[in-house]
Amino acid sequence: MKTIIIYHSYSGITKAVVEKIKSILSADSIEIVPKHPYSSLMVYPKGCYRAMKGEVDEVTPEKIDVSGYDMVVMASPVWAGKPTPVINGAIRALNGCKGSQAFLFLTCGAKNSGLEAVSSFRERMNDMGLQVSGDAVLDKKDVQNPEMIENLSSLIRSAGEKT
Ligand SMILES: Cc1cc2nc3c(=O)[nH]c(=O)nc-3n(C[C@H](O)[C@H](O)[C@H](O)COP(=O)(O)O)c2cc1C
């Protein structure tokens, strides 16, 4: 199963999880960055506002071709109970994703907040034609737990086996 993990990470937590599952699954990955980065002063007021509104940031890379992959995994931190405007930008940048199997996961401070963010993330991916067949939420304890990382990798593997 050829897998790509497309992710945003502001402070490095999501990135660290991605690096681990990437090696377990022998996957490729692409880190998405905003064209106009959030400063530490503005990330809460501006980032949270834009996340709550479901805004879509301009991102690099501008186009992400996933046509060569069997499984598209997308990962984002939670900002104000939502996926980030940066990952929203990544979803919009996808090419060749219609009908692809997909999985999403979020990292967050508090599980409830992460669970709240799943539906809008899933909806946006479905709107691009991805077949989202699984999701996961990792809070700040989970991201440190190797068992949770193994679990996440297994969930992604089995989501890819669904038809
Ligand atoms: C601007 C901002 C808003 C956040 N909002 C939430 C939130 O609503 N709920 C939550 O559980 N965690 C929230 N967090 C915490 C992050 O989701 C959490 O630390 C995440 O794992 C960070 O991932 P990253 O290091 O990849 O950016 C927020 C963090 C930032 C910077």
Side-chain angles (χ1 to χ4, degrees), residues 11-158:
S11 58
I13 293 171
T14 311
K15 183 175 184 151
V17 174
V18 168
E19 291 302 326
K20 288 174 195 155
I21 58 169
K22 182 180 166 175
S23 114
I24 296 170
L25 297 171
S26 306
D28 294 333
S29 66
I30 301 179
E31 180 170 9
I32 308 301
V33 292
K35 284 206 170 160
H36 308 289
Y38 292 90
S39 67
S40 54
L41 199 65
M42 289 308 287
V43 69
Y44 277 91
K46 189 176 172 194
C48 288
Y49 179 79
R50 289 184 61 74
M52 276 192 293
K53 291 271 197 186
E55 300 282 359
V56 179
D57 283 357
E58 285 179 48
V59 296
T60 305
E62 286 176 8
K63 293 263 175 273
I64 310 162
D65 185 3
V66 296
S67 55
Y69 291 92
D70 309 306
M71 165 58 74
V72 178
V73 179
M74 301 199 77
S76 173
V78 174
W79 285 2
K82 299 281 179 198
T84 66
V86 182
I87 204 71
N88 294 343
I91 296 171
R92 190 173 66 182
L94 291 174
N95 262 339
C97 60
K98 276 215 166 62
S100 298
Q101 287 291 332
F103 189 96
L104 69 87
F105 73 88
L106 294 133
T107 73
C108 55
K111 198 80 138 211
N112 281 354
S113 192
L115 291 169
E116 198 189 314
V118 168
S119 58
S120 52
F121 200 172
R122 184 181 268 264
E123 210 168 287
R124 225 173 253 272
M125 288 172 72
N126 281 334
D127 286 348
M128 287 299 288
L130 290 160
Q131 304 282 320
V132 183
S133 50
D135 56 65
V137 172
L138 284 82
D139 66 17
K140 56 181 181 241
K141 277 196 201 129
D142 297 334
V143 297
Q144 308 283 357
N145 181 348
E147 232 173 79
M148 293 304 291
I149 305 293
E150 278 294 339
N151 267 355
L152 175 58
S153 308
S154 306
L155 283 174
I156 293 170
R157 241 188 245 115
S158 46

